[in-house]
Amino acid sequence: LCNLHTSCTYTVIMSVVSISRDGGNQAEVHLHGATLTSWKVDGEELTFVSRDAVFDGKKAIRGGIPVVFRNNGGVAELEFVSLTCCCLVANFGPWELGPQHGFARTSTWKLLEPPVQGKPVAVFELEDNEQTRAMWNYRFKVRYTVSVGERQLDTNLDITNTGDQPFDFTALLHTYFRLPDISKTTVSGLNGCTYLDKVHKDHKTEGRDLVSIAGETDSMYEATSSVHRITHGAGGYTFVVTKRNLPDTVVWNPWADKAKAMSDFGDDQYVNMICVEAGHVASRVLLPPQQTFSGGQTITLEKKQNL
C-alpha cells in the first residue's frame, strides 16, 4: 500500500472520514450509511454523486457506494413474471418492513478502525439496535472495509450472525460510476446470463458481449462473471470490477423521465452515470448463528482512452 514515497492520513470532519493514500489518491466515507461519496485518483473524481443528493442524516445519499443490507423485495411484483424468476424479484426491491434497499444505508455507522500511517484502510461497523430489531428482529454485526490503493479501490462486507437463530438476507454494493457520456459506455461480463428486466417486467437472457445503455435500465443479472469492464469512464478510464463472493450484478440508469421524477437526482445527470452493482440478490444468503458471510469488490483503473 504505502511506502517511503507515499503517505497515508485520515481526517473526520462532520461525520465524513477522509482516507488519503497521497495528495491525489483518496476516498471519503460518510458515517451516515457508511456511504463512500468520493474516490479520486490523481485528483480525478471517479464516483458519481447527484448534485441534488440530500445530506440530512436521514435520507439515503444519492450516489457513491451505498451499502444495501438487509433487503427483501415486495410480493406485489411477482405477478408480472414467470415462476422461474420469482426468486429474483422477491429478494430485491421495495421492502415492506423497512426502507427501500434495507436499513444499512440510512443507519449511522461507527468508525471501528481508522487508517494509520502506511495503511490507507478504514473499517466501519454496524450492529443491531432497537431501530433495526423493530424492523427485523435478529442480531448481527456488519463490518465494512474500505481500502485505497494505487489506482484501485477495495470495498468488502463481513456480515456476522451474532444471535442464536439463523437468518437470511440479500446484500449489494450499489456503486455509482462517473461517466462523461453514457452513450459511449459499455459493460462486459453479462453475456449468457439470465436477468430480470424490471423496466419491462420481463425475464430475459443477455445476448450481448458488451451491454450499452440507450434508455431507462434496471436489470438484475444472475450468476454473472466475476469481472466487469466498464468503458469510457470519468477521465477516460476503464473501470475493472472484480467481485468476490457476490455472484449477481445489477445495472441501473434512470434515464430522462425517471431522473426528472426523482427529487434528489439532477434532471440531466443520467448522462453522466451508470450503476454496476455487485451483490448477492438472486438468492438469499442463509447465515447460521455465529457464522460470517464475506463478499466484496475491487475496482481497478485501466489506462485512459480517447473520448
Side-chain angles (χ1 to χ4, degrees):
L1 294 173
C2 292
N3 53 43
L4 293 177
H5 303 289
T6 62
S7 61
C8 301
T9 59
Y10 84 98
T11 56
V12 182
I13 301 175
M14 298 296 289
S15 298
V16 178
V17 180
S18 178
I19 311 164
S20 181
R21 187 177 191 278
D22 54 45
N25 296 268
Q26 59 186 22
E28 292 185 350
V29 181
H30 279 248
L31 294 182
H32 176 63
T35 303
L36 186 145
T37 54
S38 178
W39 174 39
K40 293 181 180 179
V41 171
D42 298 331
E44 180 82 43
E45 182 58 65
L46 301 170
T47 58
F48 171 87
V49 176
S50 169
R51 63 172 175 261
D52 296 329
V54 178
F55 296 87
D56 63 357
K58 298 177 182 179
K59 186 177 178 64
I61 298 170
R62 177 67 68 183
I65 309 180
V67 175
V68 175
F69 170 83
R70 183 263 184 191
N71 178 65
N72 280 22
V75 177
E77 295 183 66
L78 297 178
E79 64 187 28
F80 296 114
V81 293
S82 68
L83 291 174
T84 57
C85 65
C86 279
C87 182
L88 257 176
V89 186
N91 291 330
F92 184 75
W95 182 30
E96 67 275 10
L97 299 180
Q100 182 179 9
H101 294 340
F103 47 68
R105 67 179 190 155
T106 56
S107 296
T108 300
W109 293 57
K110 176 174 65 176
L111 177 60
L112 184 67
E113 297 179 18
V116 295
Q117 186 69 28
K119 188 179 180 183
V121 180
V123 181
F124 304 86
E125 185 176 80
L126 177 67
E127 293 187 82
D128 61 278
N129 52 52
E130 290 184 5
Q131 289 75 29
T132 67
R133 290 192 295 272
M135 293 179 279
W136 187 58
N137 193 20
Y138 291 94
R139 296 191 176 275
F140 66 88
K141 181 183 295 182
V142 182
R143 289 188 176 179
Y144 182 48
T145 304
V146 178
S147 308
V148 177
E150 184 177 356
R151 296 178 179 266
Q152 195 169 82
L153 177 72
D154 189 273
T155 53
N156 195 82
L157 287 171
D158 293 299
I159 301 168
T160 301
N161 182 345
T162 58
D164 57 8
Q165 298 293 324
F167 62 69
D168 61 69
F169 66 90
T170 57
L172 191 78
L173 295 171
H174 198 310
T175 309
Y176 289 72
F177 292 92
R178 186 178 181 88
L179 310 174
D181 185 353
I182 184 64
S183 69
K184 296 181 179 179
T185 294
T186 61
V187 182
S188 72
L190 302 170
N191 193 13
C193 298
T194 58
Y195 69 99
L196 176 67
D197 181 343
K198 292 188 69 177
V199 175
H200 299 101
K201 299 179 176 63
D202 196 8
H203 199 223
K204 301 177 180 178
T205 299
E206 184 58 72
R208 296 170 290 179
D209 286 331
L210 299 176
V211 173
S212 57
I213 308 297
E216 182 185 351
T217 301
D218 190 355
S219 299
M220 294 183 287
Y221 290 86
E222 184 176 0
T224 59
S225 170
S226 62
V227 178
H228 300 297
R229 298 179 75 255
I230 305 165
T231 65
H232 294 89
Y237 290 111
T238 289
F239 301 106
V240 181
V241 181
T242 303
K243 304 185 298 170
R244 300 181 301 277
N245 203 27
L246 296 175
D248 312 310
T249 304
V250 175
V251 178
W252 181 75
N253 183 290
W255 215 249
D257 289 344
K258 191 163 186 176
K260 292 177 181 178
M262 300 164 65
S263 63
D264 60 350
F265 198 101
D267 290 357
D268 58 349
Q269 287 192 289
Y270 68 93
V271 175
N272 301 122
M273 56 74 64
I274 188 172
C275 284
V276 179
E277 312 164 28
H280 204 306
V281 294
S283 61
R284 304 176 192 180
V285 178
L286 180 60
L287 195 61
Q290 307 305 314
Q291 297 297 306
T292 298
F293 167 89
S294 295
Q297 66 179 5
T298 302
I299 306 170
T300 305
L301 298 184
E302 286 191 350
K303 63 182 180 180
K304 293 186 177 183
Q305 304 157 330
N306 294 324
L307 299 180

